[in-house]
Amino acid sequence: MSNPEDEERLLPLAQRWPRASKFILSGCAATVAELATFPLDLTKTRLQMQGEAALARLGDNARESAPYRGMVRTALGIIQEEGFLKLWQGVTPAIYRHVVYSGGRMVTYEHLREVVFGKSEDKHYPLWKSVIGGMMAGVIGQFLANPADLVKVQMQMEGKRKLEGKPLRFRGVHHAFAKILAEGGIRGLWAGWVPNIQRAALVNMGDLTTYDTVKHYLILNTPLKDNIITHGLSSLCSGLVASVLGTPADVIKSRIMNQPRDKQGRGLLYKSSSDCLIQAVQGEGFMSLYKGFLPAWLRMTPWSLVFWLTYEKIREMSGVSPF
């Protein structure tokens, strides 16, 4: 008679440790997507910092000296003035961030969907449950990944600081972590976490909710099967919705994370995410909240496409059920 423990040891790793496996698989898919689309993320961040009205309070003349104006000119300017490889400046902490963020959000969303909310046997899953699950998954995943996201945003601005004649703040990724920790303590690594999780909640409501809803709608209501065509169509929809919902919060998040701070680690430009929102709208107009939308959308769409196609494929290859 076989021993249950022996039978369990014979199972594939994906079935023995399903949550850990999904965390690792989603991290792998996110790494591929991040490397492929990171230059657009860098361009988006640079655009979001342009014309920052609050800098006038510090007497900073960066607004007048900023050499970039549009997405294409920004990208070309980075290549011409800093070098082609600088389009991937900050990619290491971005990968760290996405391994933690994507792993956390995917595991959380599937746990909520399958265990807490209980998906029906016919694969029907109400939209309101998907919305709540997507937002909660984004909040948890982003809170865990905030330190890496903070380092990524600040490193993305190093090239611009060099062009403006300002000293570089970091020698590398690990120096950035150490310096932020030394100056602001553990709390310093979570600077900007409130707007960050607000953004993540909106982005994941757009990404996870849209992908899950569109995919299963297509499978249940059209001749399409659970294959690459369905995955591609669903990911294109999720990328667009996530960009529309997430860009304003992304602008706020980037500005708060990149603002100068005093010796106590308090921001010198903005007191909170709502203060940043008010200053941006009053000083630059409502559309300032959509600065960087084009590269954000152009990045989010292929990122979503690469991520979901890769994630679904490696789940299949690893013996894990489709998302």
Side-chain angles (χ1 to χ4, degrees), residues 217-271:
Y217 176 85
L218 292 174
I219 292 172
L220 294 173
N221 298 280
T222 73
L224 293 174
K225 305 299 181 183
D226 194 349
N227 54 29
I228 191 171
I229 296 175
T230 303
H231 302 160
L233 292 173
S234 303
S235 63
L236 290 174
C237 294
S238 68
L240 175 60
V241 176
S243 297
V244 172
L245 293 177
T247 296
D250 194 31
V251 171
I252 302 302
K253 179 266 298 187
S254 295
R255 291 188 173 191
I256 287 181
M257 284 187 159
N258 192 62
Q259 69 174 322
R261 298 181 179 277
D262 61 20
K263 293 181 180 179
Q264 286 73 44
R266 293 173 298 195
L268 297 177
L269 299 180
Y270 312 112
K271 299 176 182 178

Side-chain angles (χ1 to χ4, degrees), residues 21-22 24-30 307-320:
S21 298
K22 290 173 183 177
I24 294 171
L25 294 178
S26 62
C28 292
F307 173 80
W308 285 112
L309 293 182
T310 304
Y311 186 50
E312 293 276 21
K313 187 63 179 178
I314 60 178
R315 282 176 71 116
E316 177 187 335
M317 294 169 62
S318 303
V320 179

Side-chain angles (χ1 to χ4, degrees), residues 68-85:
Y68 309 130
R69 283 299 179 268
M71 184 188 76
V72 175
R73 287 180 62 190
T74 297
L76 290 176
I78 293 170
I79 295 171
Q80 292 170 355
E81 299 174 29
E82 303 172 44
F84 178 75
L85 292 180

Side-chain angles (χ1 to χ4, degrees), residues 34 38 41-42 85-97 148-149 151-158 173:
E34 195 66 17
F38 189 79
D41 185 56
L42 175 65
L85 292 180
K86 290 298 182 181
L87 288 172
W88 279 269
Q89 183 167 297
V91 72
T92 302
I95 290 175
Y96 291 167
R97 179 250 183 185
D149 202 15
V151 171
K152 181 201 78 168
V153 169
Q154 295 201 6
M155 289 193 69
Q156 284 179 329
M157 298 304 296
E158 288 297 271
V173 177

Side-chain angles (χ1 to χ4, degrees), residues 26-40:
S26 62
C28 292
T31 299
V32 173
E34 195 66 17
L35 287 170
T37 62
F38 189 79
L40 286 168

Side-chain angles (χ1 to χ4, degrees), residues 174-228:
H174 299 105
H175 177 245
F177 275 110
K179 185 176 180 181
I180 294 171
L181 186 61
E183 293 177 352
I186 293 293
R187 290 182 61 184
L189 291 173
W190 269 267
W193 71 272
V194 174
N196 220 0
I197 66 170
Q198 290 170 345
R199 171 192 176 273
L202 292 171
V203 167
N204 278 276
M205 183 173 68
D207 185 28
L208 288 174
T209 301
T210 302
Y211 182 84
D212 195 17
T213 302
V214 172
K215 174 186 172 180
H216 291 99
Y217 176 85
L218 292 174
I219 292 172
L220 294 173
N221 298 280
T222 73
L224 293 174
K225 305 299 181 183
D226 194 349
N227 54 29
I228 191 171

